Amino acid sequence: MELTLEHRTEGDTTVLEVAGEVDVYTAPKLREKLVELVSDGHYNIIVDMTKVDFLDSTGLGVLVGGLKRVRSHNGTLELVCNQERILKIFRITGLTKVFPIHDTLEEALS
Amino acid sequence: MSVAELRVPRDPVYVGLVRLVVAQAARLAGVSQDRVEDVKIAVAEALANANSGVEPGADTIPIELRFGRSAAGFEVVVVCPERRSDAVDRGADPGAELLDPKLSFTLIEGLTDEFSHEIHGDLMRLRFVVGLT
Protein backbone atom coordinates (compact mmCIF):
# COMPACT_ATOMS: atom_id res chain seq x y z
CA MET A 1 0.00 0.00 0.00
CA GLU A 2 1.17 3.50 -0.78
CA LEU A 3 1.77 6.18 1.78
CA THR A 4 -0.35 9.30 1.37
CA LEU A 5 0.38 12.61 3.10
CA GLU A 6 -1.92 15.62 3.23
CA HIS A 7 -1.55 18.72 5.33
CA ARG A 8 -3.81 21.59 6.29
CA THR A 9 -3.64 24.51 8.69
CA GLU A 10 -5.93 24.83 11.71
CA GLY A 11 -5.21 28.20 13.36
CA ASP A 12 -1.51 28.24 14.21
CA THR A 13 -1.26 24.46 13.98
CA THR A 14 -0.49 22.30 10.94
CA VAL A 15 -2.22 18.94 10.73
CA LEU A 16 -0.37 16.31 8.72
CA GLU A 17 -2.64 13.39 7.88
CA VAL A 18 -0.69 10.20 7.24
CA ALA A 19 -2.41 7.19 5.64
CA GLY A 20 -1.02 3.81 4.61
CA GLU A 21 2.17 2.03 5.55
CA VAL A 22 5.28 3.66 7.00
CA ASP A 23 8.31 1.40 6.60
CA VAL A 24 11.90 1.55 5.36
CA TYR A 25 10.64 2.06 1.79
CA THR A 26 8.09 4.82 2.46
CA ALA A 27 9.59 6.55 5.52
CA PRO A 28 11.82 8.85 3.37
CA LYS A 29 8.64 10.35 1.89
CA LEU A 30 7.36 11.19 5.38
CA ARG A 31 10.73 12.62 6.35
CA GLU A 32 10.79 14.84 3.25
CA LYS A 33 7.31 16.12 4.07
CA LEU A 34 8.23 17.00 7.65
CA VAL A 35 11.44 18.71 6.50
CA GLU A 36 9.44 20.68 3.92
CA LEU A 37 6.84 21.76 6.49
CA VAL A 38 9.45 22.95 8.97
CA SER A 39 11.38 24.74 6.20
CA ASP A 40 8.14 26.53 5.28
CA GLY A 41 7.74 27.76 8.85
CA HIS A 42 5.28 25.19 10.22
CA TYR A 43 6.60 24.69 13.74
CA ASN A 44 3.50 23.38 15.53
CA ILE A 45 2.59 20.11 13.89
CA ILE A 46 0.03 17.44 14.70
CA VAL A 47 0.66 14.16 12.88
CA ASP A 48 -2.68 12.39 12.52
CA MET A 49 -1.89 8.68 12.34
CA THR A 50 -5.42 7.30 12.63
CA LYS A 51 -5.22 5.98 9.04
CA VAL A 52 -1.76 4.42 9.37
CA ASP A 53 -1.96 0.67 8.76
CA PHE A 54 1.66 -0.16 9.53
CA LEU A 55 4.54 1.54 11.31
CA ASP A 56 8.05 0.31 12.05
CA SER A 57 11.12 1.83 13.71
CA THR A 58 12.14 3.75 10.58
CA GLY A 59 8.82 5.60 10.86
CA LEU A 60 9.49 6.20 14.55
CA GLY A 61 12.93 7.56 13.63
CA VAL A 62 11.39 10.00 11.16
CA LEU A 63 8.92 11.24 13.79
CA VAL A 64 11.74 11.71 16.31
CA GLY A 65 13.68 13.62 13.64
CA GLY A 66 10.63 15.81 13.02
CA LEU A 67 10.30 16.47 16.74
CA LYS A 68 13.94 17.58 16.92
CA ARG A 69 13.43 19.91 13.97
CA VAL A 70 10.36 21.68 15.39
CA ARG A 71 11.92 21.91 18.85
CA SER A 72 14.89 23.72 17.37
CA HIS A 73 12.32 26.43 16.49
CA ASN A 74 10.59 26.15 19.89
CA GLY A 75 7.78 24.28 18.19
CA THR A 76 5.79 21.15 19.01
CA LEU A 77 5.03 17.85 17.34
CA GLU A 78 2.11 15.85 18.71
CA LEU A 79 0.49 12.66 17.49
CA VAL A 80 -3.05 11.39 17.06
CA CYS A 81 -3.22 7.62 17.32
CA ASN A 82 -5.95 5.35 18.62
CA GLN A 83 -4.91 1.99 17.20
CA GLU A 84 -3.64 -0.43 19.81
CA ARG A 85 -1.17 -2.15 17.46
CA ILE A 86 0.49 1.19 16.65
CA LEU A 87 0.40 2.43 20.25
CA LYS A 88 2.11 -0.82 21.28
CA ILE A 89 5.14 0.16 19.17
CA PHE A 90 5.41 3.52 20.93
CA ARG A 91 5.11 1.82 24.33
CA ILE A 92 7.77 -0.84 23.64
CA THR A 93 10.27 1.76 22.48
CA GLY A 94 9.49 4.17 25.33
CA LEU A 95 8.38 6.90 22.94
CA THR A 96 5.07 7.43 24.75
CA LYS A 97 7.21 9.51 27.13
CA VAL A 98 8.58 11.59 24.26
CA PHE A 99 5.48 12.35 22.19
CA PRO A 100 2.16 13.70 23.41
CA ILE A 101 -0.26 11.14 21.94
CA HIS A 102 -3.98 11.92 21.62
CA ASP A 103 -6.93 9.66 20.88
CA THR A 104 -8.61 12.14 18.54
CA LEU A 105 -7.67 15.13 16.42
CA GLU A 106 -10.21 17.26 18.31
CA GLU A 107 -8.43 16.46 21.57
CA ALA A 108 -5.05 17.34 20.04
CA LEU A 109 -6.35 20.65 18.73
CA SER A 110 -8.08 21.66 21.95
CA MET B 1 11.14 -26.99 11.51
CA SER B 2 9.00 -27.05 8.36
CA VAL B 3 10.82 -24.38 6.44
CA ALA B 4 10.09 -22.03 3.58
CA GLU B 5 12.96 -20.11 2.06
CA LEU B 6 12.99 -16.77 0.34
CA ARG B 7 15.82 -14.83 -1.24
CA VAL B 8 15.31 -11.15 -2.09
CA PRO B 9 17.54 -8.35 -3.33
CA ARG B 10 18.73 -5.81 -0.77
CA ASP B 11 16.22 -3.21 -1.87
CA PRO B 12 13.60 -1.63 0.41
CA VAL B 13 11.00 -1.97 -2.33
CA TYR B 14 10.72 -5.70 -1.46
CA VAL B 15 10.05 -5.18 2.25
CA GLY B 16 6.25 -4.93 1.89
CA LEU B 17 6.10 -8.06 -0.23
CA VAL B 18 8.22 -10.08 2.19
CA ARG B 19 6.08 -8.89 5.10
CA LEU B 20 2.95 -10.22 3.41
CA VAL B 21 4.51 -13.56 2.50
CA VAL B 22 5.91 -14.23 5.97
CA ALA B 23 2.67 -13.05 7.63
CA GLN B 24 0.65 -15.52 5.55
CA ALA B 25 3.08 -18.31 6.44
CA ALA B 26 2.64 -17.41 10.12
CA ARG B 27 -1.15 -17.65 9.78
CA LEU B 28 -0.82 -21.04 8.11
CA ALA B 29 1.46 -22.16 10.94
CA GLY B 30 -1.22 -21.31 13.47
CA VAL B 31 -0.04 -17.93 14.79
CA SER B 32 -2.95 -15.83 16.12
CA GLN B 33 -3.89 -12.68 14.19
CA ASP B 34 -2.59 -10.39 16.97
CA ARG B 35 0.77 -12.13 16.89
CA VAL B 36 0.83 -12.10 13.07
CA GLU B 37 0.93 -8.30 13.38
CA ASP B 38 3.97 -8.70 15.65
CA VAL B 39 5.61 -10.97 13.06
CA LYS B 40 5.03 -8.36 10.34
CA ILE B 41 6.75 -5.65 12.34
CA ALA B 42 9.63 -7.92 13.39
CA VAL B 43 10.18 -8.91 9.74
CA ALA B 44 10.13 -5.26 8.68
CA GLU B 45 12.72 -4.47 11.34
CA ALA B 46 14.96 -7.35 10.30
CA LEU B 47 14.80 -6.25 6.66
CA ALA B 48 15.38 -2.60 7.55
CA ASN B 49 18.61 -3.73 9.21
CA ALA B 50 19.45 -5.97 6.28
CA ASN B 51 18.96 -3.09 3.86
CA SER B 52 21.01 -0.68 5.90
CA GLY B 53 24.60 0.05 4.94
CA VAL B 54 24.12 -0.79 1.26
CA GLU B 55 25.68 1.48 -1.28
CA PRO B 56 23.06 2.37 -3.93
CA GLY B 57 23.73 0.52 -7.17
CA ALA B 58 26.30 -1.77 -5.61
CA ASP B 59 26.23 -5.43 -6.55
CA THR B 60 25.31 -6.99 -3.24
CA ILE B 61 24.52 -10.35 -1.77
CA PRO B 62 20.76 -10.93 -1.42
CA ILE B 63 18.91 -11.26 1.87
CA GLU B 64 18.02 -14.85 2.75
CA LEU B 65 15.00 -15.67 4.89
CA ARG B 66 14.00 -19.02 6.35
CA PHE B 67 10.71 -19.23 8.18
CA GLY B 68 8.22 -21.79 9.38
CA ARG B 69 6.84 -23.74 12.28
CA SER B 70 9.39 -25.19 14.68
CA ALA B 71 9.27 -26.75 18.13
CA ALA B 72 9.63 -23.26 19.60
CA GLY B 73 6.82 -21.67 17.59
CA PHE B 74 6.91 -19.72 14.34
CA GLU B 75 10.57 -19.09 13.63
CA VAL B 76 12.15 -16.59 11.26
CA VAL B 77 15.85 -16.43 10.40
CA VAL B 78 17.25 -13.59 8.30
CA VAL B 79 20.81 -13.76 6.99
CA CYS B 80 22.43 -10.86 5.18
CA PRO B 81 25.79 -9.12 4.86
CA GLU B 82 26.79 -7.19 7.97
CA ARG B 83 25.95 -3.48 7.96
CA ARG B 84 28.80 -1.61 6.28
CA SER B 85 29.88 1.13 8.63
CA ASP B 86 32.16 2.65 5.98
CA ALA B 87 29.18 3.21 3.68
CA VAL B 88 27.33 4.91 6.52
CA ASP B 89 30.35 7.03 7.45
CA ARG B 90 30.75 8.28 3.90
CA GLY B 91 27.08 9.12 3.65
CA ALA B 92 26.80 6.64 0.78
CA ASP B 93 23.72 5.04 2.29
CA PRO B 94 20.84 7.52 2.22
CA GLY B 95 18.65 5.16 4.24
CA ALA B 96 21.12 4.72 7.08
CA GLU B 97 20.02 7.79 8.98
CA LEU B 98 16.48 6.42 9.06
CA LEU B 99 17.46 3.37 11.04
CA ASP B 100 18.45 3.29 14.67
CA PRO B 101 19.53 -0.36 15.16
CA LYS B 102 19.10 -0.07 18.93
CA LEU B 103 15.49 1.08 18.56
CA SER B 104 14.90 -1.57 15.92
CA PHE B 105 16.27 -4.41 18.07
CA THR B 106 14.32 -3.15 21.09
CA LEU B 107 11.19 -3.43 19.01
CA ILE B 108 11.92 -6.96 17.77
CA GLU B 109 12.77 -8.03 21.32
CA GLY B 110 9.54 -6.54 22.66
CA LEU B 111 7.34 -8.12 20.01
CA THR B 112 8.76 -11.63 19.90
CA ASP B 113 9.32 -14.45 22.39
CA GLU B 114 12.93 -15.16 21.41
CA PHE B 115 15.37 -12.91 19.58
CA SER B 116 19.04 -13.23 18.74
CA HIS B 117 21.42 -11.14 16.66
CA GLU B 118 24.77 -12.63 15.69
CA ILE B 119 27.64 -11.72 13.41
CA HIS B 120 29.42 -14.56 11.62
CA GLY B 121 32.31 -13.18 9.59
CA ASP B 122 30.78 -10.77 7.08
CA LEU B 123 27.26 -12.02 7.68
CA MET B 124 24.60 -10.88 10.13
CA ARG B 125 22.05 -13.41 11.35
CA LEU B 126 18.81 -12.32 12.98
CA ARG B 127 16.50 -14.95 14.45
CA PHE B 128 13.19 -14.55 16.21
CA VAL B 129 10.37 -16.79 17.35
CA VAL B 130 6.71 -16.03 18.01
CA GLY B 131 4.66 -18.53 19.99
CA LEU B 132 1.71 -20.29 18.45
CA THR B 133 -0.83 -19.79 21.24
Side-chain angles (χ1 to χ4, degrees):
Chain A
M1 180 184 276
E2 277 298 303
L3 178 70
T4 59
L5 305 167
E6 290 179 10
H7 79 275
R8 63 182 186 279
T9 302
E10 302 251 358
D12 64 349
T13 302
T14 300
V15 178
L16 175 60
E17 192 175 291
V18 183
E21 299 180 339
V22 186
D23 63 14
V24 68
Y25 181 57
T26 59
K29 191 175 167 183
L30 176 59
R31 179 179 56 183
E32 284 168 22
K33 185 68 180 180
L34 285 169
V35 169
E36 175 194 315
L37 287 174
V38 175
S39 298
D40 291 345
H42 301 269
Y43 302 140
N44 294 310
I45 299 174
I46 294 172
V47 180
D48 184 350
M49 304 180 66
T50 51
K51 293 178 183 170
V52 170
D53 299 312
F54 182 87
L55 178 76
D56 68 9
S57 73
T58 56
L60 295 178
V62 168
L63 292 172
V64 171
L67 181 64
K68 287 178 182 170
R69 282 188 175 87
V70 295
R71 278 189 178 167
S72 69
H73 297 279
N74 296 315
T76 60
L77 192 148
E78 302 191 6
L79 307 176
V80 178
C81 180
N82 54 16
Q83 299 182 70
E84 183 50 35
R85 68 174 187 272
I86 305 287
L87 289 168
K88 184 178 178 181
I89 295 167
F90 284 95
R91 276 198 295 271
I92 290 170
T93 52
L95 291 174
T96 47
K97 294 170 189 165
V98 175
F99 291 103
I101 302 178
H102 306 276
D103 285 339
T104 64
L105 179 59
E106 290 70 28
E107 183 188 306
L109 286 167
S110 66
Chain B
M1 182 176 174
S2 173
V3 181
E5 293 184 348
L6 197 58
R7 182 177 291 190
V8 292
R10 292 179 79 188
D11 185 333
V13 75
Y14 292 99
V15 173
L17 173 66
V18 173
R19 236 174 26 227
L20 292 176
V21 171
V22 179
Q24 183 60 16
R27 282 187 199 97
L28 292 173
V31 176
S32 68
Q33 187 54 42
D34 275 0
R35 300 304 314 270
V36 167
E37 294 302 322
D38 295 342
V39 169
K40 285 166 74 174
I41 296 167
V43 167
E45 295 301 331
L47 291 188
N49 278 281
N51 278 299
S52 181
V54 182
E55 291 191 58
D59 183 22
T60 57
I61 302 166
I63 302 165
E64 292 182 0
L65 296 100
R66 292 194 294 278
F67 48 94
R69 188 171 179 156
S70 70
F74 183 74
E75 185 171 335
V76 179
V77 176
V78 178
V79 178
C80 62
E82 164 65 336
R83 180 187 175 92
R84 287 188 52 186
S85 58
D86 58 332
V88 176
D89 292 344
R90 292 198 310 273
D93 174 18
E97 69 176 271
L98 285 173
L99 183 74
D100 176 347
K102 192 178 171 189
L103 192 67
S104 183
F105 291 165
T106 298
L107 201 45
I108 301 177
E109 207 160 22
L111 292 168
T112 62
D113 299 313
E114 288 178 34
F115 171 58
S116 62
H117 165 236
E118 298 163 1
I119 306 294
H120 298 285
D122 292 337
L123 294 177
M124 175 169 67
R125 181 180 184 272
L126 301 170
R127 173 186 172 272
F128 61 84
V129 178
V130 171
L132 298 177
T133 54

